Amino acid sequence: MKSVENKDQAGGNSARQAIVIGAGMGGLAAAMRLGAKGYRVTVCDRLDVPGGRASYIRREGHRFDLGPTIVTLPDLYRDLWSYCGYDFDQDVELRSLEPLYEIRWPDGAQFTAYQDETKMRAEVARFSPRDVRGYERFLEDSRKRYAFGFEELGRRPMHRLRDLIAVLHHFVRLRADRSVAAHASRRFRDARLQMAFSFHPLFIGGDPFNVTSIYILVSHIERMFGIHYPIGGVAAIANAMTRVIGRQGGEIKYGAEVDEIIVNNGHARGVRLVDGTILNSDIVVSNADSGHTYKRLLHKIGDKRWSDERLSRSRWSMGLFIWYFGTRGTRALWPDVGHHTILNGPRYRGLIKDIFIRGHLADDMSLYIHRPSVTDSTVAPKDGDTFYALCPVPHLGFEKPIDWSVEAAAFTDRVKSVLEAQLLPGLSEYLTVSETFTPETFRDRYLSPYGSGFSIEPRIFQSAWFRPHNVSEDVAGLYLTGAGTHPGAGLPGVVSSAEVMSRLVPAAEALH
């Protein structure tokens, strides 16, 4: 068994060591912040590329972003880079998108979302003139929840019970007990607008009919900050993060899967890789899913706040079926299909219930379609297109989980049929390359419990203090980042989790 003592390559002297488990966006952000605090950082990841869910694959000239596709709060990255002494805009090119996305229904109705306030109000009026006033009230509701839910609650530690008690009056005042869908139904009479202003929790793994209405804050984010696409995909941000880590003297080990967090006398002292290599450190930050961290990486710790039983009782986010496909000769085809399109099935609430509550793979579906080639020509061969179609599906934790080795091919055909009928006529004749990810892929590639797409679902009693904390209660010197900890999933959430973590970690020179 090999033991490795990391050294400060710049001066040859021992430095305070930090190990980060996982090179996902939360882990990379954590490594950057730790480097800025004076730590010598080693990041370990089982994949061969950075980014985790935000990594990419190449197939026959197509580059597919595997997970996140947009940036909604660019100043989070600018703040991160600035904290480390660098300029984000020198490293990454962001392109603002307008319109933001389009929503379509089976009856042919189409709603286009804009950042521009005048256009957005006109679009609401086109659907339902009597709902314009409700829309204005909804935006004000969203602004208040952003100020509290993200800027105040989401960017500060919530690991002490008194942290929760101090903000409970805000939860009461903002009716956090009401769901996103219930709040939208109070502001809009038109059922289609209710859906258009309540679906957003799905992009962080939440059931709109059960997730707290605090998450309507997304509408404020869209209006105030817009939606942006990084040229080169979100993976371009991950790659830029690795360069900053390198400038700080940090190191990323790919193909290095962590098997165990080493704990001596109640303190995290390093990690053991699956090949037996031991990496020693002063602190450990796990960007692995919190469920995997507590169940697998700390399996030798007997009495844990997040025990196996508690994890099994938790509600997990839905699974994802994603079909990545490329086409040839289509760049000028389908001119009405933009960068982001959402296709609704005939049901909304019933379909959500099938996915989150019943664990049933329904006959109907709703899809999110990403077509980055209309913005970034580097993602596809000349005159071709790169797409992905994402479909929420049940995770693998239900009593009778879906066997995707049996279902995947037929389900891909169903997705293709929906796309041909509602969005991309003649798709079959232009297809060149195809790849699918299922919840089983998320389980095996990302070690995500139950193959969930976004870790623990962000219900009110699984958020803030109720979520796995950014500092472990069980092991000193162990910190957590990523979708499964506070403040939650989505790029803003995981990047903010590193900011929260850095407030809890002492500066390297403070360790004795």
Side-chain angles (χ1 to χ4, degrees):
M1 188 174 294
K2 299 169 284 184
S3 181
V4 179
E5 188 74 32
N6 297 323
K7 297 292 182 181
D8 183 347
Q9 295 178 347
N13 300 317
S14 294
R16 291 301 180 184
Q17 310 291 327
I19 289 175
V20 176
I21 303 169
M25 299 297 280
L28 294 175
M32 291 171 65
R33 289 189 176 273
L34 291 173
K37 290 173 77 75
Y39 287 88
R40 178 82 164 99
V41 183
T42 301
V43 183
C44 299
D45 198 283
R46 67 197 300 268
L47 301 179
D48 59 357
V49 291
R53 286 169 171 79
S55 57
Y56 70 94
I57 56 175
R58 291 188 181 274
R59 296 288 187 272
E60 299 180 20
H62 297 269
R63 188 187 69 240
F64 297 102
D65 275 340
L66 296 181
T69 61
I70 59 173
V71 170
T72 53
L73 287 166
D75 282 351
L76 278 180
Y77 303 90
R78 296 187 177 108
D79 290 348
L80 173 60
W81 257 250
S82 177
Y83 182 83
C84 299
Y86 298 103
D87 184 349
F88 172 76
D89 294 294
Q90 291 293 316
D91 290 346
V92 178
E93 179 187 352
L94 290 182
R95 190 160 297 175
S96 181
L97 302 180
E98 184 74 331
L100 306 178
Y101 49 84
E102 184 179 73
I103 303 173
R104 301 189 182 196
W105 285 266
D107 64 1
Q110 300 180 15
F111 180 89
T112 303
Y114 298 94
Q115 183 181 8
D116 182 271
E117 188 57 41
T118 301
K119 291 181 178 178
M120 193 66 166
R121 188 178 289 105
E123 190 71 355
V124 171
R126 184 177 67 84
F127 260 66
S128 177
R130 63 181 181 171
D131 279 328
V132 172
R133 176 57 184 152
Y135 165 69
E136 293 169 348
R137 294 177 65 190
F138 188 87
L139 274 191
E140 178 60 15
D141 297 338
S142 176
R143 182 193 64 78
K144 292 176 180 177
R145 284 156 179 79
Y146 170 80
F148 167 65
F150 187 80
E151 289 295 347
E152 183 176 349
L153 187 67
R155 300 183 75 173
R156 71 178 190 182
M158 287 295 296
H159 63 290
R160 299 169 302 190
L161 184 57
R162 67 174 180 266
D163 297 326
L164 174 67
I165 294 172
V167 298
L168 278 178
H169 65 287
H170 292 295
F171 281 94
V172 174
R173 177 174 57 85
L174 296 173
R175 290 303 307 269
D177 60 307
R178 185 181 292 152
S179 74
V180 169
H183 195 91
S185 69
R186 293 175 67 90
R187 294 291 183 250
F188 301 97
R189 299 180 184 180
D190 188 285
R192 296 165 301 178
L193 293 179
Q194 292 174 11
M195 177 272 160
F197 288 94
S198 69
F199 75 90
H200 302 91
L202 289 166
F203 289 104
I204 56 169
D207 171 354
F209 294 90
N210 282 291
V211 165
T212 170
S213 63
I214 295 295
Y215 285 103
I216 69 169
L217 59 82
V218 175
S219 291
H220 176 77
I221 290 173
E222 291 180 350
R223 300 289 85 70
M224 286 300 298
F225 307 105
I227 285 177
H228 309 266
Y229 173 80
I231 297 301
V234 173
I237 300 179
N239 288 328
M241 296 169 94
T242 68
R243 294 194 292 271
V244 172
I245 293 167
R247 293 173 205 156
Q248 295 172 323
E251 177 186 10
I252 301 179
K253 295 180 179 292
Y254 298 109
E257 181 177 347
V258 173
D259 185 57
E260 178 188 356
I261 296 171
I262 297 172
V263 180
N264 290 330
N265 297 320
H267 198 291
R269 293 301 183 188
V271 300
R272 179 182 289 106
L273 306 183
V274 293
D275 68 1
T277 300
I278 293 175
L279 301 177
N280 299 312
S281 67
D282 297 286
I283 66 169
V284 174
V285 177
S286 180
N287 188 62
D289 189 283
S290 56
H292 180 77
T293 298
Y294 281 107
K295 185 170 185 176
R296 173 59 197 168
L297 302 184
L298 291 174
H299 66 276
K300 291 183 179 178
I301 305 297
D303 187 17
K304 294 173 289 192
R305 179 174 184 261
W306 285 91
S307 64
D308 293 356
E309 181 183 0
R310 182 173 183 180
L311 289 167
S312 67
R313 292 198 313 266
S314 299
R315 287 191 173 273
W316 293 80
S317 65
M318 76 286 196
L320 300 174
F321 179 93
I322 311 177
W323 181 34
Y324 308 94
F325 60 95
T327 59
R328 62 176 181 274
T330 57
R331 192 69 62 85
L333 196 62
W334 310 310
D336 61 329
V337 179
H339 196 119
H340 302 291
T341 306
I342 296 165
L343 291 183
N344 276 296
R347 299 181 301 150
Y348 181 31
R349 185 166 194 157
L351 179 59
I352 294 296
K353 192 170 185 178
D354 280 342
I355 294 167
F356 283 89
I357 308 300
R358 299 189 182 104
H360 171 63
L361 190 61
D363 293 331
D364 56 335
M365 65 180 66
S366 290
L367 300 172
Y368 159 67
I369 296 90
H370 182 223
R371 189 189 189 185
S373 37
V374 299
T375 304
D376 183 358
S377 62
T378 68
V379 302
K382 185 178 180 180
D383 200 34
D385 276 301
T386 290
F387 290 90
Y388 90 30
L390 178 151
C391 182
V393 295
H395 61 61
L396 302 174
F398 289 95
E399 184 177 354
K400 294 182 179 179
I402 297 158
D403 184 348
W404 286 102
S405 66
V406 174
E407 297 288 348
F411 198 78
T412 303
D413 287 340
R414 288 168 55 190
V415 171
K416 183 172 65 174
S417 296
V418 170
L419 291 175
E420 287 191 309
Q422 299 184 31
L423 191 71
L424 306 173
L427 171 62
S428 295
E429 62 183 285
Y430 300 103
L431 282 173
T432 58
V433 62
S434 175
E435 182 94 16
T436 58
F437 274 28
T438 74
E440 292 176 355
T441 315
F442 278 73
R443 178 196 62 198
D444 300 338
R445 178 180 173 89
Y446 306 122
L447 305 180
S448 179
Y450 308 111
S452 62
F454 303 90
S455 192
I456 295 173
E457 187 185 358
R459 294 191 175 204
I460 190 168
F461 289 114
Q462 295 188 158
S463 298
W465 180 82
F466 298 102
R467 205 166 182 82
H469 298 164
N470 303 96
V471 56
S472 174
E473 303 99 314
D474 304 302
V475 178
L478 173 62
Y479 303 85
L480 279 74
T481 58
T485 186
H486 174 68
L491 284 180
V494 300
V495 172
S496 294
S497 74
E499 180 182 358
V500 174
M501 176 278 305
S502 72
R503 296 185 181 187
L504 299 170
V505 174
E509 61 268 19
L511 291 181
H512 298 289

